[in-house]
C-alpha cells in the first residue's frame, strides 16, 4: 500500500518522515521541491505534480495550508479523476467544516473515500509522533487509517461523521484563543494591582485557573517571547472559520466573536507572524500599559 | 499562641478543624452557633461574640462571606481596640483588593498586622489541607504565618505587598469565568456541528485547549450536573469585584467584562445557586438549543 503525501511543510515534513521511518512507502508532492530532499533521503519518491504522486496510491494524505490550496492541488475534477477508485483521502489540515463536507462530496463523486482528521500538538507533536488526531469518518474508513494514525499520533478520537473532525478542531481553537485572552487580562490585572506576575502565574497553576495556555503561553507572555509556535495569523484564520460556521448555522458565540475581533486588530497592526500569545500586546496597547510595569 | 478563627462556614469549618488536629489552640466565633459543635468536640473554645474570641489571640483568621461582614465582625473601631497589640490578622476570604488595603490601614491604626491570604481549591482543598494560598504580606508577617499556612494548604505563594493576594485571586477568578465561557461555547459549537461532545472534550484534553475547567466543568456540562461546587452568585460577586477594580484603575478587560454581563443575566434569571458551570445554560438559552441535541 502506497501513501501519497501532499504538502510537506512545517507539519507535513515530520509527519511524512515518521511514516517513512515506520516502513510505509511514501510518494511526496510539495510546491517547493527543495523542501523534499530530506524525505527523499529517507526513501520517499518525490513527484513534480500531485497527479503523478497519487496515481498508484491507496491512501492520500493532505497537509496543505488552506481549503483553497487543497482545491487547486487535489479537490478538482481533473486531479480526482486520476486517483485509484476506492482510495482513501485523509485530510489532516485545519479547514472550515463546511469545506471538509464539500470535499467529501466531491471525493464521493469519484468513488473515493474521505476522512477529515485535523490534529493538535503542533510541530513538536508532529516530530515526536504524539499528535492528537480528531477524526470525522465512518467507522470502516477509520479502521483503514488506524495503522497510519498510530504512527502520527499518540491518540486518535473518533468525533463523529465526516466534517466533525474539523468541528472538534474549531472547538479546540475557540478555547485556545479565548483562554489566551483570559490569561492576558489576568496578568495585566495582576501587574496593574502591584502583584508579581510570575508569582501569580505560579499560584494559579495550582487551582481551577490552571491550563496548558496559562502554563505555556503565560510563560511566553512573562518572558515576552513571541517567537512562534502558532502564529497570530493562523489563529485568526481558525477564528474566521469558526465565526463563519457559527454565522451560517445561526449560532451566537459572544466570547469567541470578541476574541476574533481582537486578533483581527492584532494582525491588522502588523503582528501576524508573532506567536498567538502576542494577543497580550494588543491588550497592553488598548490600556497603554504593560505587564512589566 | 492562640488562634481566633472568625467564620466557620463551608470553608472555615474544615480549616479550623485542621488547625485543631495539628495541635493549635483555637478560639472560634461563628454567627450560627450550632455550626461550631463539631469544632468544640475537637477542642475549640467557642465564643458568643468576636471580641471575646480574639481577646487573648496572637493570630486572628477571618473567613467571612464579604467585606461588609468582616467590617461588622472585626474591622470596626470597637472590635479592633479589643485585640492584643501586635497580633496578626490573616484575612483568608475573597474580597475586593481595595477593601483589603482599607482593612490593612485600619488594622495598622490599632498596632495590628495584616495579611490578605485568599485561597483556591474549594471545600475539598479546605478539608484535605491542600489549598493554594495567595499571600499579600510583608516578608516578616508571612514568616509568622508559615506554620499555619503549612497546615491549611499545600502551597503558599508570596504574591507581593498587602492587597496583592486579593489581586491574584481576582486574576484566578477572571480566568476561571472566561474559561467556563469558552468551554460552553466550544461544546455548543461541537453539538451544533454534529460532533459527539464527549469525544470532543476527550480529544481537547490532550492539547493546548486542556484546562482544569475543561476537565471538571466540561464534565459537569456534559452530565448536566449543576449542583455546586462554586456557585454562580459567588462567581458574579468575584467578577463584580474585578470589574470594579478595573474601572477604578482605568483598566479595560473586555473578555472579563463580557463574561460578567453573562453571569449577571444567568443570576438575574434565577440560577444564582447553581454551579458556575451553569453559564452553559445561559448560552443555550441565548441560542435556543442545547448541547444534547
Amino acid at each position: 500500500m502506497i501513501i501519497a503525501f501532499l504538502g510537506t511543510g512545517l507539519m507535513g515534513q515530520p509527519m511524512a518522515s515518521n511514516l517513512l521511518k515506520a516502513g510505509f512507502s511514501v510518494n511526496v508532492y510539495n510546491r517547493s521541491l527543495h523542501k523534499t530532499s530530506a524525505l527523499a533521503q529517507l526513501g520517499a519518491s518525490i513527484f513534480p505534480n500531485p497527479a503523478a504522486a497519487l496515481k498508484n496510491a491507496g491512501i492520500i494524505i493532505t497537509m496543505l495550508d488552506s481549503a483553497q490550496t487543497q482545491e487547486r492541488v487535489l479537490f478538482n475534477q481533473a486531479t480526482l479523476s486520476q486517483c485509484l477508485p476506492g482510495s482513501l483521502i485523509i485530510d489532516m489540515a485545519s479547514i472550515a467544516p463546511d469545506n471538509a463536507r464539500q470535499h467529501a462530496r466531491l471525493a464521493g463523486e469519484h468513488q473515493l473515500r474521505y476522512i477529515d482528521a485535523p490534529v493538535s500538538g503542533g510541530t513538536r507533536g508532529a516530530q515526536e509522533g504524539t499528535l492528537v488526531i480528531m477524526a470525522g469518518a465512518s467507522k470502516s474508513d477509520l479502521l483503514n487509517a488506524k495503522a497510519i494514525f498510530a504512527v502520527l499520533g499518540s491518540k486518535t478520537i473518533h468525533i463523529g461523521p465526516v466534517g466533525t473532525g474539523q468541528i472538534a478542531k474549531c472547538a479546540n481553537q475557540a478555547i485556545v484563543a479565548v483562554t489566551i485572552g483570559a490569561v492576558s487580562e489576568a496578568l495585566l490585572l495582576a501587574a496593574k494591582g502591584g502583584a508579581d506576575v510570575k508569582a501569580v502565574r505560579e499560584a494559579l497553576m495550582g487551582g481551577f485557573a490552571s491550563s496548558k495556555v496559562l502554563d505555556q503561553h503565560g510563560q511566553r507572555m512573562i518572558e515576552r517571547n513571541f517567537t512562534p509556535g502558532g502564529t497570530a495569523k493562523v489563529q485568526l484564520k481558525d477564528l474566521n472559520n469558526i465565526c463563519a460556521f457559527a454565522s451560517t448555522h445561526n449560532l451566537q458565540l459572544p466570547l469567541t466573536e470578541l476574541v476574533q475581533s481582537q486578533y483581527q486588530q492584532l494582525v491588522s497592526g502588523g503582528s501576524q507572524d508573532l506567536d498567538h500569545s502576542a494577543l497580550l500586546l494588543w491588550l497592553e496597547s488598548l490600556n497603554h500599559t504593560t505587564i512589566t510595569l
Side-chain angles (χ1 to χ4, degrees), chain A residues 8-9 12-14 16-17 20 26 28-47:
Chain A
T8 54
Q13 202 277 342
S17 169
L20 288 160
V26 183
V28 166
Y29 164 74
N30 193 60
R31 276 170 294 176
S32 311
L33 204 64
H34 68 92
K35 287 188 184 167
T36 59
S37 54
L39 293 171
Q41 286 184 344
L42 287 169
S45 307
I46 312 297
F47 291 87

Side-chain angles (χ1 to χ4, degrees), chain A residues 187-195 287-290 293:
Chain A
L187 293 185
L188 195 61
L189 169 74
K192 190 83 174 186
N287 283 290
H288 311 291
T289 185
T290 74
L293 297 170

